[in-house]
């Protein structure tokens, strides 16, 4: 049996916890980009805020329009705090489940014959230790466990046997399945499949034609109620990069580094979302002659989205300036050589 645990409205719940005065308020955790006071996106929001339609990824300015100012607190993300708490939760989960793998900052996957018995104990343990709520799903496949956990949110626990799992996944809309992104679900709908069961009717040949061998085969299994071949990934980009123009041409390391801040946090948001860590960091410099240069460094141990790279960026900027005499017009950052955090690694 598989168990999937996901913390409820994680960053916002942590902020609630350390601000007892915030009880009853809407808490919107924000990634401010700094361009204007309201530039940036919502990282996450607690349930009262979700009831008003505020959600992760929404521009902060939109959230402000929906939230009554007197009842709402906007808080900038504090990755260090969340990462610290995540590591503490990790040790509680590992303490109870030998084969636990941390899959993202607030998620764990466990393979365990005793999963159904351990699930309520895990919830109680996390509640007792940190006062935090989470949702847990247990099912014969990891996919079923994941979907059961999200279905039971918040503070939920849902244990499925094979029949219940097939009923839940088979009846689910295609876009609700982790691993089916907006492109794939759009295509499936256009081919006439609304829910997972409908996919079976499309047949293996059409699926492979439309989605390629790997994804097509995975979808075929999925439609036919076979979930054991892992979590099937959508074809993903092998890198994340962000590039931006400087206010003016410059060789000032401080100006270059400060322009990189926003680009870096946008890129890292993306990494967090994709649940990837990276082994190669590059800075990209477009000089006044419009040529593009890159300076890279690779790490033996993959870096998570929440790891500080100030020293590395400085070293790369210095290396570039030492080897090139031109002014820089555009600068960028690239994270590449990914490792999937759903695998045998942890974030920390
Ligand atoms: P999620 O587990 O996806 O969301 P959540 O814990 O806030 O809410 P839920 O109860 O539905 O699980 O993501 C974990 C944290 O990752 C989340 O608290 C904030 C961060 N995050 C972002 O910063 N941007 C995003 O787009 C998403 C989805 C999450
Ligand atoms: Mg969560
Ligand atoms: Mg999560």
């Amino acid at each position: 049996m598989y168990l999937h645990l996901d913390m409820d409205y994680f960053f916002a719940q942590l902020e609630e916890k350390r601000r007892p005065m915030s009880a009853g308020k809407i808490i919107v955790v924000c990634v401010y980009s700094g361009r204007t006071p309201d530039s940036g996106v919502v990282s996450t929001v607690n349930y009262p805020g979700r009831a008003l339609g505020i959600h992760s990824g929404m521009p902060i300015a939109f959230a402000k329009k929906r939230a009554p100012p007197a009842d709402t607190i906007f808080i900038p993300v504090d990755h260090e705090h969340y990462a610290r708490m995540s590591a503490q939760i990790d040790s509680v989960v590992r303490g109870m489940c030998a084969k636990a793998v941390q899959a993202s900052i607030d998620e764990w996957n466990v393979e365990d014959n005793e999963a159904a018995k351990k699930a309520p104990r895990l919830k109680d343990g996390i509640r007792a230790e940190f006062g935090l709520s989470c949702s847990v799903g247990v099912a014969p496949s990891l996919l079923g466990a994941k979907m059961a956990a999200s279905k039971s949110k918040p503070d939920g626990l849902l244990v499925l046997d094979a029949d219940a799992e097939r009923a839940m996944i088979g009846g689910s809309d295609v876009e609700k399945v982790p691993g089916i992104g907006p492109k794939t679900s759009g295509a499936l709908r256009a081919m006439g499949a609304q829910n997972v069961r409908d996919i079976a009717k499309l047949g293996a040949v059409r699926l492979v034609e439309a989605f390629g061998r790997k994804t097509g085969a995975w979808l075929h299994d999925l439609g036919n109620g076979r979930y054991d071949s892992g979590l099937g990934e959508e074809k993903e980009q092998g890198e994340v990069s962000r590039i931006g123009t400087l206010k003016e041409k410059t060789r000032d390391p401080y100006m270059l580094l400060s322009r990189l801040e926003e680009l870096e946090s946008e890129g890292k948001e993306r990494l967090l979302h994709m649940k990837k860590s990276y082994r190669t960091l590059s800075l990209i410099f477009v000089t006044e002659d419009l040529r593009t240069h890159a300076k890279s460094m690779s790490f033996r141990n993959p870096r998570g989205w929440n790891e500080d790279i100030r020293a590395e960026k400085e070293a790369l900027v210095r290396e570039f300036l030492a080897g090139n005499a031109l002014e820089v017009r555009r600068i960028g950052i690239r994270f590449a050589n990914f490792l999937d955090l759903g695998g045998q690694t942890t974030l920390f």
Side-chain angles (χ1 to χ4, degrees):
M1 292 289 265
Y2 287 92
L3 179 155
H4 180 80
L5 183 155
D6 187 292
M7 300 302 296
D8 298 329
Y9 64 102
F10 188 46
F11 295 0
Q13 195 181 179
L14 289 175
E15 295 294 352
E16 255 175 30
K17 266 275 82 80
R18 61 173 174 177
R19 285 180 172 74
M21 299 288 285
S22 72
K25 299 263 187 203
I26 294 171
I27 294 194
V28 187
V29 179
C30 299
V31 184
Y32 289 102
S33 68
R35 206 159 38 81
T36 72
D38 282 351
S39 292
V41 294
V42 172
S43 168
T44 195
V45 58
N46 61 357
Y47 275 81
R50 290 181 192 197
L52 301 178
I54 303 170
H55 58 79
S56 295
M58 173 184 266
I60 295 164
F62 289 13
K64 289 216 159 143
K65 278 192 207 126
R66 293 186 182 224
D71 299 327
T72 308
I73 314 178
F74 289 86
I75 301 170
V77 280
D78 177 356
H79 286 316
E80 256 107 273
H81 178 59
Y82 314 147
R84 252 194 322 270
M85 294 305 298
S86 174
Q88 289 185 40
I89 298 169
D90 185 51
S91 44
V92 170
V93 176
R94 279 167 196 279
M96 288 195 216
C97 312
K99 276 205 206 157
V101 172
Q102 183 163 14
S104 82
I105 185 119
D106 83 332
E107 284 166 46
W108 286 263
N109 294 326
V110 180
E111 201 190 333
D112 198 317
N113 290 331
E114 311 253 77
K117 219 159 74 190
K118 285 186 177 169
R121 289 191 204 148
L122 269 170
K123 278 175 65 74
D124 291 346
I126 290 172
R127 163 88 63 199
E129 189 98 12
F130 312 106
L132 295 170
S133 81
C134 62
S135 298
V136 179
V138 176
S141 76
L142 186 55
L143 178 67
K146 278 190 128 182
M147 291 177 69
S150 31
K151 200 171 172 186
S152 72
K153 272 184 174 296
D155 200 11
L157 171 57
L158 184 55
V159 180
L160 303 175
D161 61 17
D163 287 343
E165 177 185 71
R166 207 171 305 118
M168 178 193 66
I169 300 178
S172 158
D173 286 339
V174 287
E175 53 275 336
K176 293 251 174 70
V177 178
I180 297 188
K183 247 165 109 183
T184 305
S185 64
L188 285 169
R189 281 190 171 263
M191 293 162 81
Q194 316 284 318
N195 63 37
V196 170
R197 231 175 266 124
D198 297 336
I199 300 174
K201 295 185 208 138
L202 300 176
V205 176
R206 272 186 83 192
L207 288 168
V208 169
E209 260 168 29
F211 302 102
R213 206 165 52 84
K214 194 169 158 230
T215 305
W218 177 68
L219 287 169
H220 180 67
D221 281 348
L222 182 70
N224 287 286
R226 290 189 295 270
Y227 316 123
D228 288 333
S229 49
L231 273 185
E233 292 259 327
E234 270 219 275
K235 245 207 229 110
E236 286 185 288
Q237 320 150 246
E239 59 171 61
V240 166
S241 59
R242 291 289 182 275
I243 189 157
T245 305
L246 291 148
K247 278 204 197 77
E248 52 199 50
K249 290 184 285 185
T250 184
R251 288 182 55 78
D252 178 350
Y254 173 80
M255 300 279 287
L256 296 171
L257 286 164
S258 93
R259 184 66 184 89
L260 276 173
E261 291 286 320
E262 182 187 340
L263 301 165
E264 177 189 341
S265 51
E266 283 175 20
K268 284 178 160 180
E269 279 298 304
R270 188 71 207 131
L271 287 179
L272 169 64
H273 199 75
M274 294 168 68
K275 295 179 184 150
K276 298 287 179 189
S277 58
Y278 61 94
R279 285 206 198 82
T280 304
L281 168 72
S282 312
L283 296 187
I284 300 150
F285 304 84
V286 181
T287 38
E288 52 190 330
D289 59 355
L290 295 184
R291 287 180 53 173
T292 302
H293 315 261
K295 291 287 168 202
S296 304
M297 73 172 67
S298 290
F299 310 110
R300 187 192 306 246
N301 296 316
R303 298 286 178 105
W305 63 275
N306 54 341
E307 278 175 78
D308 185 84
I309 49 170
R310 227 167 311 171
E312 288 80 359
K313 285 186 300 182
E314 272 184 44
L316 290 173
V317 165
R318 233 172 256 131
E319 185 188 337
F320 168 78
L321 292 171
N324 191 301
L326 295 177
E327 306 240 44
V328 182
R329 286 175 60 137
R330 283 162 66 71
I331 190 159
I333 188 161
R334 177 166 62 218
F335 303 96
N337 204 349
F338 288 158
L339 198 77
D340 198 334
L341 293 175
Q344 296 305 109
T345 50
T346 69
L347 272 175
F348 305 99

